[in-house]
Structures are given as structure tokens and as C-alpha cells.
Amino acid sequence: MMARPQKMGDQKRDLTIRVRVTSAEKQRIWKLAAEAAVTPSDFLRLKAMGSEPLRQVPTPERESLLKGLAELGKVGSNVNQIAHTLNRYHSNGYLMGIHEEAMQTTLEALDELTAQLLTLLSHGHSR
């Protein structure tokens, strides 16, 4: 998965404005932001300047898909490390008791699951 591109120059939000609010006001801002499915910062920016939110808070379903995708990435990385380690001890066409085909099949299955999760995330599950 590709990393988010870095913002440059005047697009980068690197300044902070502090606003004093009561506990009740803060709770209300957070509640209204959650109801609008945006971050509190984007909610305040939207109210103050009418700007569009940068991102929306993911639905529980999307959050689960994102977590699943992250876990698959970790598993894939671990399998890849195992394959590289075993490959150092390669002899007679086998990887220390593990057939190369089995390792390749496992990696292909991980790629397929990752592709399926990415498809779910990009089709109709944008929030």
C-alpha cells in the first residue's frame, strides 16, 4: 500500500489555533463532529470557513476492513522474512523442509486477501 503524499507549502497545515471552551462546549463539538462523520478539527474548520473536510471518520465496518488490511500486511511481512531466512539454507530445491510451492501459494493467498480488502474499501465503503 502506498503512503499518503506529503503536502507542500501553503497546503501543509502546520499552525495551531488555541480556543478556550468549557467542558460542555468541547463535548458538544466532539459530538457534532462525530455525527457529521468528520474530525473535530475539520468540523471547526468547516463551521468557521466553510471549507470541506479533509477526511471522514471511518464507519465501524471500514475501520474493521482497515485493521484487517493492516494485519494482513504484518502477516505478509512475517512470511516474507521467513522465506528469506529459509532461502539462505536452500538445498536440493527445497527450503529446509518447506516446498517453495507452498511458500509461493501462501504469499499468493495473502496477496489475494489484500486485493479483496482493498476492493471492499474502495467500492461503496468510503466512510
Side-chain angles (χ1 to χ4, degrees):
M1 192 167 6
M2 293 179 48
R4 183 180 299 161
Q6 294 272 329
K7 292 189 178 195
M8 302 304 244
D10 62 343
Q11 290 185 341
K12 189 173 182 180
R13 291 189 169 128
D14 55 356
L15 300 175
T16 302
I17 297 174
R18 292 180 52 136
V19 178
R20 291 191 172 280
V21 294
T22 66
S23 178
E25 288 171 330
K26 180 179 177 181
Q27 287 177 2
R28 182 169 161 89
I29 290 167
W30 259 244
K31 180 178 181 273
L32 292 170
E35 288 172 359
V38 296
T39 64
S41 293
D42 281 342
F43 177 78
L44 291 172
R45 200 176 294 111
L46 175 65
K47 291 298 181 181
M49 301 184 317
S51 64
E52 288 298 313
L54 291 176
R55 60 185 171 259
Q56 295 177 327
V57 175
T59 62
E61 178 184 39
R62 182 171 174 81
E63 188 70 31
S64 293
L65 290 172
L66 290 169
K67 285 180 182 177
L69 189 60
E71 288 303 313
L72 270 178
K74 291 175 189 176
V75 170
S77 177
N78 289 341
V79 170
N80 202 21
Q81 289 174 15
I82 292 167
H84 283 291
T85 301
L86 291 174
N87 200 29
R88 287 189 209 132
Y89 302 104
H90 188 274
S91 65
N92 301 327
Y94 294 101
L95 299 175
M96 295 294 290
I98 298 176
H99 292 276
E100 259 184 273
E101 276 183 31
M103 189 64 72
Q104 187 61 36
T105 301
T106 301
L107 290 171
E108 288 171 3
L110 284 170
D111 287 344
E112 177 62 27
L113 284 171
T114 300
Q116 289 176 12
L117 281 173
L118 287 171
T119 299
L120 286 171
L121 285 166
S122 64
H123 290 95
H125 296 89
S126 62
R127 291 168 109 220

